[in-house]
């Protein structure tokens, strides 16, 4: 129950959507061509920085873990990391000195939000694992005055219970969805965080997807999926139960999702032209006599003025206010005001923070707004308070930023567009190191996961780490990526094997070389999840283009991994992964189509994989089979290839473990330096890292053998 889960009653976060699956095809960004075409190959971004910074500086997590603004905008609650714990604090925003008070310290709290009443915090608590069982989540309660935090209600994994947000209509309550043991009944309940008392709000024979409550606490709007379609319904309460009246039925290319509602007015994210999505206002009044939807009117409320991107999110006044800003995300996060008052506030904010990448949490009352300033060269976000009455703004919580890096080291992460070999426009990001002759710099291609996802703007520790070592970092948003409209998403036509997607990546490398941004003869490729799959494909299909590859959590066969994930997913009101795959890749139930795609996968070209390769995997990965990864690596070893394999026994699909992240950075730096003609990397000085590598590097190829390897057996 993170802050993003708690911040609205059943709504999706108004911020960025991190995947197609969770975001019903969150399509951001259609283009951005004017990237420094006139800059010469010798251009630099500032004084050349000398010795590389310690790799640990790029891995240090931020001190500010989570934060939440009270509904009246007068107080801010936040969690600040201290070693392995987090201290929960409250700041009073109407005081000149920003009075702060520490409430308690805990290592089990994972998220916080304010109760609607404002007299306490609702906590997302992780209960410790017991013998034979995994850790569980619970709802906690922390009064602001007088008491210690306490557990209120433990979630039951057998009922697939999920926290859906703080209840905006009740003082101390949290909304939870669940599936009853027979699997035929699904409920939405409110749980009193102070007592654990449970009250049913809505019951259905279908899983409960995204929803919106009305001010009385009734379910007002509901979203569900049927195949590749999304359906938005109005829910009418009655004495004999609620009636669900369908209002919108959205085709796959015009997928719709709930954003906000005010009475008969509903705001959804939708593409009206089958490509770029905007904010659409739906007017669906009830007939007072029949209590049915009399008619439905749709109008486009906002779209990107630059015609570059889809709607990325909406800033809405809590708890039942109207949308204030539409958010689009291309070269940075851009806000567009939805009413004259919001326009005045936005002008004041951007005057103070021009061209900044902002996240805004607004309030309609007299309280302050919370502004988070981000940026590709801003290692730690800055936080500001904005007073909508006076238009003044001041920075807060500066003591929690604790940046580790000299700002002079950090480089811009530029949005890039180029024309691919088939004549179509493709997009991505590039980070250029601080050096004189960029044409001599080696290139590292970093491929995003998904595949239905995209590289975004903002600070990237990995990109900065590589640029600091003198590499040009290219992050392609190949066709098939989200973020550039539905047509861009669909234009890959399922060609994720040896085909269009890989060619887009190669064309991007060639484009960089024509600009003088990198040496096209010294190129490495790295990636996680689908990015790792792309690494395997690059080394199998085009080994002459890359000197080395590093693949983490890499599916060996894309269809098997998709099926594996599809078997674990739950219905959350968006098209299922099987439906998405059927529209954008192949029908996973069609044996002929699956066989054809497998024939074009790296697994069937293992004999052609001749370049050095490092694979990293988690033994507890629920999405990618570590057994398949091991077999693939062993087959390469049998053929005499330079293959290394690290398996962390406790890691899953996401590499959150600090020691694993440190090992990944060390091995990455070592292999890139060795194969892209860099300075040799000395053995790790930290004995914990040496022991970790010695225990978990199950295969050591030629690249990691030899007298200079401090962890060698």
């Amino acid at each position: 129950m993170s802050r993003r889960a708690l911040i609205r009653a059943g709504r999706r976060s108004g911020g960025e959507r991190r995947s197609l699956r969770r975001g019903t095809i969150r399509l951001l960004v259609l283009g951005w061509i004017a990237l420094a075409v006139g800059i010469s190959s010798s251009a630099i971004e500032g004084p050349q920085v000398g010795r590389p910074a310690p790799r640990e500086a790029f891995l240090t997590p931020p001190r500010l873990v989570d934060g939440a603004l009270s509904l009246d905008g007068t107080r801010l609650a936040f969690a600040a990391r201290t070693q392995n714990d987090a201290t929960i604090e409250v700041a009073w925003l109407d005081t000149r000195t920003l009075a702060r008070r520490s409430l308690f310290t805990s290592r089990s709290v994972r998220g916080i939000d304010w109760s609607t009443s404002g007299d306490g915090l609702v906590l997302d608590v992780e209960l410790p694992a017991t013998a034979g069982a995994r850790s569980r989540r619970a709802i906690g309660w922390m009064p602001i005055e007088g008491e210690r935090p306490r557990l209120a209600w433990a979630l039951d994994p057998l009922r697939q219970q999920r926290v859906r947000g703080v209840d905006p209509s009740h003082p101390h309550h949290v909304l939870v969805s669940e599936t009853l043991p027979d699997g035929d009944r699904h409920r939405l309940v409110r749980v009193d965080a102070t007592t654990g008392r449970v009250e049913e709000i809505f019951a259905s024979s279908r899983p409960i997807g995204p929803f919106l409550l009305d001010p009385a606490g009734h379910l007002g709007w509901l979203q569900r999926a049927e195949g590749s379609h999304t359906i938005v319904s109005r829910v009418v309460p009655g004495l004999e139960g609620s009636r669900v009246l369908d209002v919108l039925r959205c085709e796959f290319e015009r997928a719709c999702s709930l954003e906000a509602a005010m009475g008969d007015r509903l705001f959804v994210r939708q593409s009206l032209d089958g490509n770029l999505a905007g904010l659409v206002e739906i007017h669906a009044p009830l007939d007072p006599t029949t209590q049915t939807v009399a008619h439905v009117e749709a109008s486009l409320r906002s779209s990107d003025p630059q015609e570059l991107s889809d709607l990325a999110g909406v800033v809405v006044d809590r708890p039942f206010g109207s949308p204030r800003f539409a958010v689009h995300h291309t070269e940075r996060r851009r806000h567009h005001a939805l009413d004259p008052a919001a326009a005045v506030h936005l002008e004041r904010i951007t005057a103070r923070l021009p061209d900044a990448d902002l996240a805004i949490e607004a309030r309609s009352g007299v309280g302050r707004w919370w502004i988070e300033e981000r940026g590709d060269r801003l290692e730690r976000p800055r936080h500001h308070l904005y007073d909508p009455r006076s238009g003044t703004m001041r920075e807060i919580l500066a003591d929690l930023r604790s940046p580790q890096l000299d700002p002079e080291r950090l480089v811009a992460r530029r949005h890039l567009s180029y024309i691919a070999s088939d004549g179509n426009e493709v997009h991505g990001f590039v980070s250029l190191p601080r050096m004189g002759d960029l044409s001599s710099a080696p290139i590292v291609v970093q491929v995003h996961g998904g595949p239905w996802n995209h590289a975004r703007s903002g600070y990237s520790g990995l990109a900065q780490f590589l640029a600091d070592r003198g590499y040009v970092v290219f992050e392609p948003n190949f066709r098939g990526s989200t973020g550039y409209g539905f047509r861009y998403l669909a234009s890959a036509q399922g060609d994720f094997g040896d085909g269009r997607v890989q060619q887009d990546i190669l064309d991007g490398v060639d484009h960089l070389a024509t600009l003088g941004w990198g040496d096209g003869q010294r190129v490495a490729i790295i990636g996680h999840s689908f990015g790792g799959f792309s690494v395997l494909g690059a080394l199998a299909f085009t080994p002459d283009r890359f000197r080395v590859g590093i693949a983490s959590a890499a599916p060996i066969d894309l269809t098997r991994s998709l099926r594996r994930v599809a078997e674990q997913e739950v219905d959350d009101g968006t098209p299922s992964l099987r439906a998405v795959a059927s529209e954008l890749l192949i029908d996973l139930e069609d044996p002929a189509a699956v066989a054809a795609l497998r024939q074009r996968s790296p697994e069937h070209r293992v004999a052609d994989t001749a370049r050095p390769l490092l694979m990293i995997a988690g033994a507890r990965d629920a999405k990618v089979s570590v057994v398949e990864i091991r077999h693939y690596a062993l087959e390469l070893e049998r053929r005499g290839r330079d293959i290394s394999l690290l398996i962390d026994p406790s890691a899953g699909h996401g590499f959150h473990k600090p020691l694993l992240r440190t090992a990944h950075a060390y091995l990455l730096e070592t292999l890139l330096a060795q194969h892209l003609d860099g300075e040799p990397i000395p053995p790790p000085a930290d004995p914990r890292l040496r022991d970790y590598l010695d225990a978990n590097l199950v295969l050591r190829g030629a690249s990691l053998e030899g007298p200079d390897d401090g962890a060698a057996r």
Side-chain angles (χ1 to χ4, degrees):
M1 186 175 62
S2 67
R3 173 174 171 264
R4 289 184 180 272
L6 284 168
I7 200 167
R8 292 193 212 155
R11 283 200 299 268
R12 294 173 183 270
S13 167
E16 305 164 12
R17 273 51 173 189
R18 297 197 176 187
S19 67
L20 171 72
R21 174 66 188 89
R22 290 178 178 265
T24 322
I25 320 172
R26 308 291 185 190
L27 313 175
L28 306 165
V29 195
L30 181 62
W32 186 252
I33 303 176
L35 169 66
V37 174
I39 297 179
S40 71
S41 64
S42 62
I44 59 175
E45 298 199 39
Q48 184 171 353
V49 178
R51 296 179 59 82
R55 69 179 69 92
E56 292 77 12
F58 300 92
L59 303 174
T60 304
R63 283 200 62 199
L64 188 64
V65 180
D66 196 13
L69 195 63
S70 63
L71 283 180
D72 61 6
T74 63
R75 289 162 296 170
L76 177 68
F78 57 92
R81 182 179 283 109
T82 56
Q83 297 299 327
N84 296 323
D85 298 328
T87 299
I88 313 301
E89 297 187 44
V90 171
W92 279 260
L93 308 182
D94 53 357
T95 60
R96 178 171 298 182
T97 58
L98 194 72
R100 288 161 55 174
R101 179 157 64 89
S102 175
L103 299 181
F104 68 102
T105 298
S106 170
R107 64 178 54 187
S108 60
V109 172
R110 295 293 177 263
I112 59 177
D113 200 7
W114 286 90
S115 64
T116 303
S117 62
D119 59 352
L121 300 177
V122 178
L123 309 175
D124 169 16
V125 181
E126 182 175 15
L127 301 178
T130 57
R134 301 175 63 183
S135 62
R136 297 171 59 190
R137 291 298 176 91
I139 298 171
W141 171 251
M142 176 66 217
I144 297 301
E145 301 292 343
E147 298 181 48
R148 298 289 297 168
R150 61 177 182 269
L151 292 177
W153 202 65
L155 301 181
D156 185 352
L158 297 179
R159 290 192 169 212
Q160 301 178 24
Q161 289 174 339
R162 290 192 299 141
V163 171
R164 307 296 292 274
V166 167
D167 186 342
S169 64
H170 285 64
H172 309 112
H173 296 66
V174 178
L175 302 168
V176 176
S177 62
E178 66 176 5
T179 298
L180 299 187
D182 59 12
D184 295 329
R185 191 164 183 262
H186 308 268
R187 299 198 310 163
L188 179 67
V189 300
R190 60 171 52 97
V191 179
D192 189 331
T194 64
T195 65
R197 182 177 176 272
V198 177
E199 174 191 356
E200 181 179 295
I201 300 174
F202 179 75
S204 171
S205 60
R206 298 177 56 91
I208 297 171
F211 60 86
L212 298 169
L213 296 186
D214 63 25
H218 301 125
L219 192 63
W221 299 89
L222 181 65
Q223 177 185 322
R224 68 181 190 275
E226 285 187 0
S228 61
H229 291 71
T230 47
I231 299 171
V232 173
S233 304
R234 184 161 186 173
V235 182
V236 182
L239 295 177
E240 298 181 359
S242 300
R243 291 184 299 130
V244 179
L245 309 175
D246 292 350
V247 172
L248 291 177
R249 185 179 181 88
C250 307
E251 299 174 346
F252 186 70
E253 63 271 22
R254 293 179 172 84
C256 47
S257 58
L258 298 175
E259 294 291 344
M262 296 183 67
D264 293 333
R265 298 163 59 206
L266 175 69
F267 300 90
V268 300
R269 179 191 182 280
Q270 187 183 24
S271 167
L272 293 182
D273 64 356
N275 188 33
L276 294 176
L279 183 64
V280 175
E281 182 175 340
I282 306 295
H283 187 221
L286 287 176
D287 185 300
T289 303
T290 63
Q291 287 294 290
T292 60
V293 175
H295 63 279
V296 177
E297 298 177 358
S299 60
L300 183 63
R301 180 69 182 274
S302 175
S303 60
D304 186 1
Q306 298 182 15
E307 298 184 352
L308 294 175
S309 70
D310 294 314
L311 182 72
V314 178
V315 177
V316 181
D317 284 339
R318 293 178 68 191
F320 297 104
S322 62
R324 303 297 296 270
F325 304 103
V327 183
H328 296 266
H329 204 164
T330 48
E331 78 291 353
R332 60 180 173 85
R333 190 183 290 101
R334 294 178 284 113
H335 289 71
H336 303 289
L338 297 175
D339 59 64
V344 172
H345 296 312
L346 184 61
E347 183 178 0
R348 293 171 177 172
I349 293 169
T350 54
R352 288 286 304 273
L353 303 171
D355 300 322
D357 197 329
L358 302 177
I360 300 175
E361 193 169 342
R363 293 292 181 268
S364 57
V366 298
R368 274 67 167 174
W369 294 5
W370 187 16
I371 313 293
E372 185 175 78
E373 176 192 0
R374 306 171 186 172
D376 49 6
R377 298 180 63 183
L378 198 60
E379 180 193 353
R380 298 283 188 266
R382 293 190 183 99
H383 296 92
H384 308 269
L385 286 181
Y386 170 71
D387 188 337
R389 296 168 297 181
S390 64
T392 58
M393 188 161 57
R394 58 171 169 156
E395 184 177 355
I396 62 170
L397 306 181
D399 60 304
L400 298 180
R401 291 191 64 230
S402 58
Q404 302 293 304
L405 296 164
D406 182 347
E408 290 297 319
R409 287 189 172 275
L410 303 180
V411 301
R413 193 158 167 248
R414 308 163 183 262
H415 194 268
L416 171 74
S417 293
Y418 57 94
I419 302 302
S421 54
D422 64 354
N424 289 294
E425 189 177 52
V426 184
H427 311 281
F429 287 86
V430 62
S431 302
L432 304 177
R434 294 183 182 275
M435 59 187 299
D437 183 9
L438 289 174
S439 65
S440 66
I443 299 172
V444 176
V445 179
Q446 181 185 347
V447 187
H448 68 70
W452 302 299
N453 206 332
H454 62 279
R456 297 167 176 82
S457 68
Y459 179 82
S460 166
L462 180 55
Q464 294 288 351
F465 169 67
L466 294 172
D468 189 63
R469 267 64 182 161
Y471 300 106
V472 171
V473 185
F474 173 47
E475 300 172 77
N477 278 327
F478 45 80
R479 272 168 285 183
S481 301
T482 59
Y484 299 89
F486 180 80
R487 296 185 191 121
Y488 192 89
L489 174 75
S491 62
Q493 299 180 339
D495 203 353
F496 292 104
D498 180 12
R500 187 66 257 165
V501 167
Q502 295 295 106
Q503 189 60 48
D504 281 352
I505 296 172
L506 298 176
D507 291 343
V509 173
D510 292 339
H511 178 71
L512 292 178
T514 63
L515 294 176
W517 292 351
D519 180 356
Q521 302 303 311
R522 291 189 295 152
V523 185
I525 185 167
I526 65 176
H528 184 84
S529 193
F530 172 80
F533 176 82
S534 180
V535 170
L536 303 184
L539 299 191
F541 308 136
T542 54
D544 58 314
R545 297 297 303 271
F546 300 96
R547 290 195 178 184
V548 64
I550 295 93
S552 53
I556 303 303
D557 181 277
L558 195 57
T559 58
R560 286 199 296 266
S561 290
L562 288 173
R563 280 178 170 169
R564 187 182 181 96
V565 176
E567 290 170 356
Q568 302 167 22
E569 69 177 344
V570 296
D571 188 340
D572 67 351
T574 62
S576 68
L577 182 57
R578 291 182 182 275
V580 170
S582 180
E583 293 282 349
L584 298 177
L585 182 64
I586 59 166
D587 182 354
L588 292 175
E589 306 307 320
D590 183 344
V594 169
L597 184 61
R598 283 179 174 167
Q599 287 297 322
R600 296 161 54 215
S601 73
E603 186 177 27
H604 288 269
R605 296 280 292 275
V606 66
D608 299 324
T609 302
R611 294 296 190 180
L613 172 64
L614 167 66
M615 303 183 73
I616 304 177
R620 297 186 179 182
D621 194 330
K623 297 182 178 181
V624 175
S625 170
V626 70
V627 174
E628 293 182 11
I629 291 175
R630 185 189 290 269
H631 286 171
Y632 186 82
L634 289 173
E635 177 61 21
L636 288 173
E637 184 189 48
R638 187 184 70 80
R639 294 175 179 270
R641 304 297 192 258
D642 183 354
I643 173 68
S644 300
L645 173 63
L646 185 148
I647 300 179
D648 187 294
S650 61
H653 192 68
F655 289 178
H656 306 298
K657 184 176 175 180
L659 196 51
L660 172 55
R661 291 166 58 85
T662 301
H664 177 267
Y666 166 74
L667 294 172
L668 177 64
E669 186 175 12
T670 298
L671 267 71
L672 292 180
Q674 180 176 350
H675 295 287
L676 298 183
D677 304 331
E679 293 292 330
I681 303 302
D686 187 344
R688 296 174 303 170
L689 178 56
R690 294 200 302 267
D691 291 344
Y692 176 85
L693 293 172
D694 191 58
N696 297 304
L697 264 172
V698 297
L699 290 179
R700 291 173 184 266
S703 295
L704 296 182
E705 290 285 6
D708 289 335
D709 180 12
R713 297 179 192 279

